[in-house]
Structure formats: structure tokens, C-alpha cells
Amino acid sequence: GGLNFVLRPESATFGTTNFAALTKNSGLFWHDYTLDYDQTTEESAFWYAGVPTGITVSSVLAEVYSRHSVTSGTAAWNVLMAGRQSGMVWDAGGVTNLVAAATVPGTAGQVLRQGVVLSTTGIAAAEALQIRVSRDVAADTAAADAKLIGTIIRIT
């Protein structure tokens, strides 16, 4: 069992600065949208969800799916998450979790899946969930935009 939130590029919210570019990609067989994150500026995108009542949060996993035009280097991400109960301040910090750097595939355009167990601090049933995904340019060495295909948040 559990609860999955699928964070698609088309449903992202963007800040006024340092945001990933929503890009339409047309391939031979598939057309999709990605969020293209710059290689030198830490850009972000935001998503929101609701944790239903009656859910016991014991663990949270983030799975980040991306693809890259380069065939060397590493990709790294930061996932910030916060829960907001009724009566809590909306615009406050959360817990940032580093998705450890992983080597990009040796063939351009192949999918890279990276996962990290997120902190469950402040995450509970009947809360609004805030999620921010950023490229960790300090730990990332892939010398091109990173194309975020999507992120899945798995709550068990």
C-alpha cells in the first residue's frame, strides 16, 4: 500500500527567478514536456499535494527521472519537502534532502533514475505538502541542461 504523488513538469509552479524552463520535446515516437535545469545556476520548480486523513507516514521516497544530452558527468538534485497543518505558516522552510550524484548514462537521451529516502520530519496526515526540486549544481558535473522527466513521491 501507500500513496504516490507524480510530479509532472506540466503541473509545476515557478518562482520569479532561478526557475527551470518548461520545454516541449518532439521525438520520432514520443512528444513530452521536461523541466530543463541549467548546469551552473541552481534552478527550482515547486509542487503541492495533500496528505489524506488517516494516513500514517512512516517513510517517504523520492524518485527523480531525468535525461541528458551529454554522455559523461554526474547528475545531482535537492528535494525540499514540508508539511503544513491547519493554522501553520505557509511560507516557511522545510527539510532539504540531497539526491546523491549519479553518473549519467553513456548514451545521450537515456533515462536516469535516482532515488533518496526523504526526511519525514513535519509530514503527517491531513497536511498540505510542499515539494521543491532543484538541480544541485555544487555536486552535479554534467555539462549541459538536465531534463527532468518527472519525480514520484512515495509515502508508506
Side-chain angles (χ1 to χ4, degrees):
L3 183 62
N4 294 332
F5 296 111
V6 179
L7 312 179
R8 298 193 32 84
E10 301 91 334
S11 63
T13 300
F14 306 103
T16 55
T17 61
N18 297 342
F19 51 89
L22 181 63
T23 303
K24 185 174 185 175
N25 305 282
S26 293
L28 182 60
F29 299 102
W30 298 102
H31 306 282
D32 72 338
Y33 285 92
T34 56
L35 290 175
D36 292 5
Y37 287 78
D38 187 75
Q39 71 183 60
T40 58
T41 302
E42 185 172 321
E43 296 176 331
S44 300
F46 303 82
W47 290 266
Y48 307 96
V51 180
T53 59
I55 296 285
T56 300
V57 178
S58 58
S59 71
V60 182
L61 173 69
E63 296 174 326
V64 180
Y65 293 85
S66 63
R67 61 184 190 256
H68 306 265
S69 61
V70 295
T71 58
S72 64
T74 58
W77 304 91
N78 287 313
V79 179
L80 182 140
M81 192 169 65
R84 301 290 182 239
Q85 297 176 355
S86 180
M88 292 181 76
V89 173
W90 179 256
D91 193 14
V95 178
T96 300
N97 298 266
L98 172 65
V99 180
T103 303
V104 301
T107 301
Q110 288 185 339
V111 175
L112 175 62
R113 180 208 168 272
Q114 296 164 267
V116 64
V117 175
L118 301 177
S119 168
T120 58
T121 301
I123 306 302
E127 289 187 333
L129 191 61
Q130 301 167 307
I131 306 156
R132 182 184 76 199
V133 177
S134 306
R135 186 173 180 183
D136 184 359
V137 296
D140 188 313
T141 63
D145 281 1
K147 294 179 127 354
L148 182 76
I149 299 167
T151 301
I152 299 174
I153 303 295
R154 298 186 189 278
I155 298 177
T156 56

